[in-house]
Amino acid sequence: MIEKYQRLFQLDVFHSYFQKGICRCLEFNAEAATEQLMKRFRFLIRKQINGIGFYVQGGQLTEALLSYIESSTGQDSFCFQIRSNNPDFNFFTELPPNWVGQLLYDSNNSTVVDQQIYLNQQLSGNAGTLCMGKVTLRFADILKFSDQTGFANFEIKYMARATQWQYFVINRSSVSYDGLSISGKGNIDFEGPENVQTAAGEAAILFSSGNNFIPLSEAGIHRFDLMNSPVSGDGTGLSPQIIIKGLPTPIPEWIGQVMDKTNGHLSSPMYVYL
């Protein structure tokens, strides 16, 4: 059936948290007024893994059709509610700490980069509905941004939340470690060790990424090892030993405030038991 239709616009969503940036956790559902237009003028939505395609019956002149719809109904846009099928979306997405509300996108507030139309994000304090946000695509912008293929291609981009990674190493074994450190590829150095107490009152050694705020990632891009550099009886340093290869990576919903005075950032605490 889709062959009898022509695409009016495409909406794609990308998120740096996911592998290859493909955001699979958002759904776009037509609002009631847009649903009525779809039934009356026989538009179709084709849901895709990271967005939607919106189609009109072939053979129609897009500009004339949209002009007629606006003059006969008073509607000048297609509107879609955004829903997430991942309850952790607000945790792993770069959003203001403790913010509650909706994410709003409107095609009249967009940025064009290399012929790609990015919808700019607006934060609303209204959290009174069941959806997490709304996308408004205006007829005038659909016509304005239609390319040589005859349709407009809009894009929404999200960034993964960057947090201060904290490893609390708790030694419950009978083995003593005197030269613990954290090592990994790249230029991320961890501060510590620092003797601290956990919230449960248990003694621990803390390693922190400090002012290096590391983006969360579904695929676990950043990997670190727990090392020990023992010292011999004569004070000579011995070769470092890997105590744990592949430390855990953050769980998105486990976030807290940073332990230093850096304002507005969150931490990802992780507990390592020896």
Side-chain angles (χ1 to χ4, degrees):
M1 179 179 290
I2 201 71
E3 290 82 2
K4 298 178 182 178
Y5 283 74
Q6 62 190 38
R7 183 155 37 182
L8 188 61
F9 64 81
Q10 177 74 27
L11 174 62
D12 296 316
V13 187
F14 295 93
H15 200 309
S16 64
Y17 174 78
F18 295 104
Q19 198 166 20
K20 297 182 180 180
I22 303 300
C23 183
R24 306 180 300 274
C25 66
L26 295 185
E27 301 172 356
F28 298 87
N29 302 313
E31 288 195 334
T34 297
E35 271 195 337
Q36 291 178 359
L37 291 183
M38 292 175 61
K39 292 177 181 177
R40 179 175 172 182
F41 297 97
R42 304 186 69 179
F43 293 110
L44 285 180
I45 290 180
R46 187 178 187 183
K47 294 188 176 182
Q48 299 160 348
I49 190 171
N50 67 318
I52 57 172
F54 197 84
Y55 293 80
V56 61
Q57 278 191 310
Q60 299 188 71
L61 295 177
T62 301
E63 185 172 0
L65 174 62
L66 295 182
S67 178
Y68 174 74
I69 293 174
E70 184 171 355
S71 63
S72 62
T73 68
Q75 294 177 233
D76 66 350
S77 62
F78 299 109
C79 300
F80 305 89
Q81 292 184 345
I82 309 173
R83 299 179 185 273
S84 176
N85 55 33
N86 189 324
D88 293 336
F89 182 86
N90 280 24
F91 292 112
F92 61 69
T93 303
E94 190 61 60
L95 293 169
N98 302 318
W99 172 80
V100 177
Q102 289 186 298
L103 305 173
L104 303 181
Y105 301 91
D106 194 312
S107 61
N108 66 10
N109 181 11
S110 61
T111 301
V112 180
V113 180
D114 294 332
Q115 299 183 334
Q116 180 61 56
I117 306 102
Y118 297 98
L119 301 181
N120 297 322
Q121 177 178 280
Q122 294 178 286
L123 301 179
S124 166
N126 177 21
T129 65
L130 296 178
C131 67
M132 60 172 282
K134 178 180 177 180
V135 176
T136 300
L137 300 178
R138 302 188 181 276
F139 297 168
D141 295 319
I142 293 172
L143 295 172
K144 173 184 175 182
F145 293 122
S146 292
D147 56 20
Q148 297 176 354
T149 60
F151 66 91
N153 195 341
F154 299 101
E155 187 171 309
I156 294 174
K157 290 190 71 173
Y158 294 101
M159 299 301 296
R161 186 186 296 279
T163 62
Q164 181 191 81
W165 289 22
Q166 300 173 346
Y167 287 102
F168 293 86
V169 180
I170 301 170
N171 189 356
R172 292 178 175 176
S173 71
S174 58
V175 180
S176 177
Y177 298 99
D178 298 322
L180 290 177
S181 63
I182 288 181
S183 175
K185 296 180 180 179
N187 57 355
I188 299 175
D189 295 322
F190 277 77
E191 299 174 357
E194 178 185 355
N195 293 319
V196 297
Q197 276 194 337
T198 66
E202 192 168 10
I205 297 174
L206 170 65
F207 294 93
S208 163
S209 65
N211 289 327
N212 290 310
F213 296 95
I214 307 172
L216 302 178
S217 170
E218 181 188 43
I221 297 174
H222 300 281
R223 293 289 183 177
F224 303 99
D225 303 324
L226 181 64
M227 311 291 294
N228 188 51
S229 300
V231 178
S232 65
D234 59 4
T236 304
L238 302 177
S239 299
Q241 303 168 341
I242 298 178
I243 305 302
I244 297 179
K245 185 173 181 60
L247 287 168
T249 54
I251 297 174
E253 65 266 31
W254 289 6
I255 57 176
Q257 296 293 329
V258 295
M259 298 186 70
D260 59 23
K261 296 182 180 180
T262 305
N263 187 29
H265 285 93
L266 298 175
S267 66
S268 292
M270 293 161 281
Y271 296 86
V272 179
Y273 295 91
L274 303 179

